Amino acid sequence: MPTTPRSRSQARTTRSWILSGMDFGDTRRKPNFAGKIAVAAALTVMCILVLKQSPGFGGTSVFSRHETGVTHVLVTGGAGYIGSHATLRLLTDNYRVTIVDNLSRGNMGAVRALQRLFPEPGRLQFIYTDLGDPKAVNKMFSENAFDAVMHFAAVAYVGESTQEPLRYYHNITSNTLTVLEAMAAHNVKTLIYSSTCATYGEPDTMPIVETTPQTDTYQSIREGKKDVRGHHSRFLKEIEHGCDDLKILQCDWIGP
């Protein structure tokens, strides 16, 4: 009989030891769990600080606001031959540039080359958009603060234009009208329009300079007397005449 109390005492001691062991294990786990929470909180704070320093924090960027002394130019068709060289000149002269192109004829390699040359934030951005989509064009204008537009987005093959005249009328006229409507809605007053790269024909002397005469055929086109381009030229002049403060400059390009 004397052994019974000792057995009960031993059992209680054993249970007490087991419980104290469990308590001891919990005590060791709690600091680790609290440490993980502290590390996670610190990382979260760091991420928030980095985001606040980012130009795009809060859904805005330098491209979406006007800045004194900075002219933001939208270059349509900027991945093409003439558009990319115009963009190069703009960036060299410290303009802010947004290129928009659907890459149907443009080259993304040209855009990447420009991005490598001008990697600074707020200098250059590329937007993949088709100007035939009015909603996408209006969204682009609503999200960016443009000061001017240089319009190079077009199809420009003479042979192809005779085979697909409706496509050319739509691309050159309808898409340009979409851009003009977006400009009017967002108070962008300056448009530089690329007329034709063949305006000088086959010149008698090289190199071609500003005083080189244009061919009679292309001069007639530019004055609105011939061809779809002539109708488009006249169409732009009528729009400019009817819109207060809108300035449209039609340029003939021969390449850089």
Side-chain angles (χ1 to χ4, degrees):
M1 293 300 294
T3 59
T4 302
R6 285 197 297 272
S7 298
R8 290 176 181 174
S9 176
Q10 288 175 355
R12 283 196 298 269
T13 303
T14 302
R15 284 196 297 270
S16 176
W17 181 85
I18 293 173
L19 290 174
S20 64
M22 291 176 65
D23 290 340
F24 177 73
D26 288 343
T27 303
R28 291 186 61 185
R29 282 196 295 269
K30 286 177 182 177
N32 291 337
F33 183 69
K36 290 178 180 179
I37 293 178
V39 171
L43 290 174
T44 302
V45 171
M46 289 177 62
C47 289
I48 292 174
L49 291 174
V50 170
L51 285 172
K52 283 186 175 180
Q53 294 175 358
S54 172
F57 182 74
T60 62
S61 71
V62 293
F63 293 94
S64 66
R65 59 179 181 268
H66 293 285
E67 290 186 28
T68 303
V70 179
T71 302
H72 184 184
V73 181
L74 171 66
V75 180
T76 72
Y81 175 67
I82 296 176
S84 62
H85 281 84
T87 298
L88 175 61
R89 180 57 183 267
L90 288 169
L91 291 168
T92 301
D93 290 346
N94 295 318
Y95 287 84
R96 176 174 293 157
V97 180
T98 293
I99 291 176
V100 59
D101 205 301
N102 66 359
L103 299 179
S104 61
R105 298 288 171 88
N107 183 357
M108 193 61 198
V111 177
R112 293 195 183 99
L114 290 167
Q115 290 172 332
R116 287 194 295 270
L117 288 172
F118 302 92
E120 302 87 355
R123 296 299 313 282
L124 172 66
Q125 69 170 342
F126 171 76
I127 299 176
Y128 176 81
T129 294
D130 193 319
L131 298 183
D133 184 346
K135 290 184 179 179
V137 173
N138 188 66
K139 181 175 183 291
M140 176 179 63
F141 271 82
S142 66
E143 293 177 351
N144 294 275
F146 300 126
D147 298 298
V149 177
M150 296 183 75
H151 188 36
F152 302 111
V155 282
Y157 295 112
V158 176
E160 187 181 65
S161 70
T162 62
Q163 298 171 0
E164 303 179 65
L166 290 179
R167 178 188 176 199
Y168 270 65
Y169 269 106
H170 185 276
N171 186 291
I172 294 172
T173 304
S174 178
N175 289 4
T176 299
L177 183 59
T178 298
V179 172
L180 287 169
E181 289 174 337
M183 289 176 62
H186 297 278
N187 200 35
V188 181
K189 298 293 186 179
T190 302
L191 172 69
I192 297 175
Y193 171 71
S194 177
S195 177
T196 172
C197 59
T199 183
Y200 297 99
E202 296 292 336
D204 295 329
T205 59
M206 293 292 286
I208 295 173
V209 296
E210 292 292 336
T211 56
T212 301
Q214 297 175 334
T215 64
D216 292 338
T217 300
Y218 284 103
Q219 184 64 32
S220 297
I221 289 174
R222 193 168 188 269
E223 292 173 356
K225 298 175 182 177
K226 295 182 180 180
D227 199 72
V228 60
R229 292 182 183 274
H231 293 304
H232 193 245
S233 179
R234 189 165 61 249
F235 152 77
L236 287 173
K237 290 178 181 178
E238 291 173 354
I239 290 178
E240 182 179 23
H241 179 73
C243 296
D244 294 337
D245 299 327
L246 177 63
K247 300 183 184 301
I248 299 178
L249 174 64
Q250 298 187 62
C251 295
D252 299 318
W253 302 87
I254 61 168

